[in-house]
Amino acid sequence: MTVTSKHATLLTPGPIETDDDVLLSMGHPSESHVGPSFARVFGETLTMLRRMLQTSNPDSQPFILAGSGTLGFDQVAANLLEPGDRALVLNCGYWGDAFAECLRIYRIEVDELQAPTVGSQPPVSDIERMLRATKYKAITITHTDTSTGVLSDVKSIAALVHTVSPDTLIIVDGVCSIGCEDLRFDEWQLDIVLGASQKALGAPAGLSIVMASSLAMQIFQQRQTPPGAYYASWKRWVPVMCSYESEPSPKYFATPPCHLIRALHVSLTKILSTSWEERLQQHEVASSKVKDAVADLGLEQICVEPSSQAHSMTAFWLPSGLRSENVLPFLARKGVILARGPQKEIAGQYIRFAHMGISATDSRRTDVDKGISALKEVLTDLRLG
Amino acid sequence: MTVTSKHATLLTPGPIETDDDVLLSMGHPSESHVGPSFARVFGETLTMLRRMLQTSNPDSQPFILAGSGTLGFDQVAANLLEPGDRALVLNCGYWGDAFAECLRIYRIEVDELQAPTVGSQPPVSDIERMLRATKYKAITITHTDTSTGVLSDVKSIAALVHTVSPDTLIIVDGVCSIGCEDLRFDEWQLDIVLGASQKALGAPAGLSIVMASSLAMQIFQQRQTPPGAYYASWKRWVPVMCSYESEPSPKYFATPPCHLIRALHVSLTKILSTSWEERLQQHEVASSKVKDAVADLGLEQICVEPSSQAHSMTAFWLPSGLRSENVLPFLARKGVILARGPQKEIAGQYIRFAHMGISATDSRRTDVDKGISALKEVLTDLRLG
């Protein structure tokens, strides 16, 4: 018997279904956050994060902090950028809005390039025009905007930036893409990828995850003003993270969340035990299955362009007359939890169905099939009823 | 069998020994952070936090965020205070330094009143003089400075502030005192108490906990400038916390750490099932036992004044010639984990022995006795050796 043997199937875009071994790892007795046992676990977790993000540059710097993924925005705004710096935010929805708002709080000058419609993304020609017109210290890209399931082409955008504005730092919000979309830190020459523990990384919520490039760390070291936050200050965290990864005795700033880090350690160990190509393919298969089912039901995705559709989740319009707050409880009664969507203009009119992590990769699980069946049954009942 | 049946006894000032039921609660399957089941748990946890801090004013506002306790400093600096505000920091050591540094990052004008020596606290006459000389928006008090075990007399200092400078907001760092020292939010008219999950609250590390008074919330609502942080912004979190506590459908800002909040729910439920007086007395008994044993060993506490000694932990000088990095491994071999101390001037020369949470309150446990025995044996061996 496992503690998780009986429960509704969670197919929301974070938190996601979590492996029993990951959950049970949190039953570990409390331990000293500076003792050798936890130090080894935290160090290995930081090192695995490098592999997860495909960076082999020893000067890349991983950070794992107690916090929600959103704390990653503050980390960027408070450490990498300085008041008065200019940033270009590529805005595909809710999370683009959020990143822009965060940067402005730290007195960054923000230009937003809005996607022309909900479910689309800013045209490459517009990005190029903006980059040629203004010198930006940084550009932010939401890899998958979890609000609508729009997937940005980070590889192409990064290549464009390197050609047109090579000094501009490339910052990727990978909260809903790390671990389920192709994302190559070194090869694409990214400067920041930020994430969270509770999506395709397969651990519980509560960890803010950041990878900074060698260049990003140089820019940080050379900043003229002190970091704009205390708890999120890399000045404080860099020696701590380095010590856990490479020294026998860890340094201290604030107490790390030992249990969550143990959980992430178990999850990353499992994830990294299969090939990256296989994992991507598993997510593509699960994604296609859900997207095909949605099409079979005569429903349209919020993101209509197939090449811009995330592989981690599917966001789709409900049949006219139905609202998410009415549909979701019927799904819950069938033991399937899907999610409403936070995108303001269309809130209530759509639903999000996630298919990432073990729900996509563990062939013994039937989560996705169960979700599809429940969706079909509920929509059929509601249409007839 | 429990998952925690066999392990070294953890007597560090956070994390502490954690109840099996608290640990096992984190084996709960992943769930939607906006679903009814977790919403109830989070709401009840917020409500229990009110009881824990002895506030019955419905306009007091609790916050529970993913983060270390240190994030509470940022919450105060970014929300309650504004750039240019003046604050008086009562500084008894490492954590006073930290609070002052945090406030300065947010451009608060900080005066520090330093304790005259390590292990002491600023004289009340000096506090009064400072309060009369300058109009401070806020005063910060580290209830127990975990670096040295100095306990501040929050009740008396608060009374002094109310008499001498009634407009000054009273901010208490209760990270190492909530749940183990007398701390009365309403009765003493405190404005902020901040804490963390991994000390006497008995849950794993990873939650930043704040209680703000009705007055503090009014001051926050009236601020002229926007909050100085994004993730820590009360503008974002107030509607979320309110919705979890009192509405059927929770609002969203950033994903709460469901598993840690479940753990805190279990721990608070247990803590609140016994009387507050009994709990305090249990901590006093455990504290006296350790302090007596330390005296029996011919050792002195860092804090010499008995009325200023914390009941949650004991920090004491090692015999001359011995350093913590040499002593602690011998204790670990006997299955007892005590802690080095972070206070710079005396680092290496002292050790911290915590006696809070279930190690003090659960009469079936022998943690404190085990710690005392191991300490006696190791020091005897090292003195002879």
Side-chain angles (χ1 to χ4, degrees), chain B residues 17-35:
Chain B
E17 282 293 308
T18 307
D19 192 286
D20 285 357
D21 292 338
V22 173
L23 293 175
L24 288 170
S25 73
M26 292 190 291
H28 193 281
S30 289
E31 62 194 321
S32 168
H33 53 293
V34 292

Side-chain angles (χ1 to χ4, degrees), chain A residues 30-32, chain B residues 7-12 14-17 335-337 354 359 367:
Chain A
S30 290
E31 62 193 321
S32 169
Chain B
H7 65 280
T9 302
L10 187 66
L11 296 167
T12 65
I16 64 171
E17 282 293 308
V336 169
I337 311 295
S359 293
D367 301 343

Side-chain angles (χ1 to χ4, degrees), chain B residues 321-352:
Chain B
L322 290 184
R323 291 185 60 83
S324 58
E325 59 268 35
N326 304 123
V327 175
L328 293 173
F330 284 99
L331 288 163
R333 267 178 241 167
K334 291 190 184 289
V336 169
I337 311 295
L338 302 187
R340 67 192 185 201
Q343 188 68 29
K344 266 187 204 159
E345 312 90 300
I346 58 173
Q349 302 172 52
Y350 75 114
I351 274 181
R352 298 177 301 159

Side-chain angles (χ1 to χ4, degrees), chain A residues 12-34:
Chain A
T12 66
I16 63 169
E17 282 293 309
T18 307
D19 192 285
D20 285 358
D21 292 337
V22 173
L23 294 174
L24 288 170
S25 72
M26 292 190 292
H28 192 280
S30 290
E31 62 193 321
S32 169
H33 52 294
V34 290

Side-chain angles (χ1 to χ4, degrees), chain A residues 296-319:
Chain A
D296 285 350
L297 283 163
L299 303 177
E300 281 222 339
Q301 292 181 53
I302 309 299
C303 175
V304 290
E305 171 56 43
S307 66
S308 302
Q309 292 166 352
H311 300 96
S312 54
M313 57 171 284
T314 303
F316 54 93
W317 299 99
L318 287 169

Side-chain angles (χ1 to χ4, degrees), chain A residues 172-372:
Chain A
V172 177
D173 170 356
V175 169
C176 194
S177 73
I178 300 174
C180 57
E181 302 287 356
D182 201 13
L183 182 56
R184 306 180 190 197
F185 196 78
D186 286 357
E187 190 180 325
W188 298 352
Q189 294 175 266
L190 308 177
D191 293 299
I192 298 284
V193 171
L194 60 91
S197 45
Q198 81 280 8
K199 302 203 196 248
L201 289 175
L207 297 175
S208 163
I209 283 162
V210 170
M211 184 68 71
S213 71
S214 166
L215 174 62
M217 294 313 296
Q218 283 171 34
I219 301 286
F220 164 67
Q221 301 292 354
Q222 292 160 7
R223 60 183 290 138
Q224 302 294 309
T225 57
Y230 183 63
Y231 174 63
S233 169
W234 289 351
K235 193 177 127 196
R236 291 301 194 153
W237 283 116
V238 168
V240 174
M241 297 297 152
C242 288
S243 70
Y244 274 102
E245 212 179 348
S246 62
E247 292 167 30
S249 184
K251 292 192 170 60
Y252 177 71
F253 170 49
T255 308
C258 303
H259 287 84
L260 292 182
I261 290 167
R262 276 200 176 266
L264 181 61
H265 184 272
V266 173
S267 187
L268 284 176
T269 303
K270 291 198 173 215
I271 290 172
L272 292 169
S273 70
T274 56
S275 82
W276 181 238
E277 291 70 25
E278 189 182 342
R279 187 172 170 85
L280 279 187
Q281 208 204 345
Q282 287 166 331
H283 279 90
E284 283 169 16
V285 168
S287 180
S288 295
K289 199 185 255 188
V290 174
K291 287 170 173 60
D292 289 349
V294 164
D296 285 350
L297 283 163
L299 303 177
E300 281 222 339
Q301 292 181 53
I302 309 299
C303 175
V304 290
E305 171 56 43
S307 66
S308 302
Q309 292 166 352
H311 300 96
S312 54
M313 57 171 284
T314 303
F316 54 93
W317 299 99
L318 287 169
S320 77
L322 290 184
R323 291 186 59 84
S324 57
E325 59 268 34
N326 304 123
V327 176
L328 292 174
F330 285 99
L331 288 164
R333 267 177 242 168
K334 291 190 184 287
V336 169
I337 312 295
L338 302 188
R340 68 192 186 203
Q343 188 67 28
K344 267 186 202 159
E345 311 91 300
I346 58 173
Q349 301 172 53
Y350 74 113
I351 276 182
R352 297 177 299 160
F353 185 144
H355 30 77
M356 60 180 133
I358 56 173
S359 293
T361 62
D362 185 341
S363 58
R364 295 163 305 178
R365 299 184 72 106
T366 55
D367 302 342
V368 168
D369 293 331
K370 200 175 161 197
I372 289 172

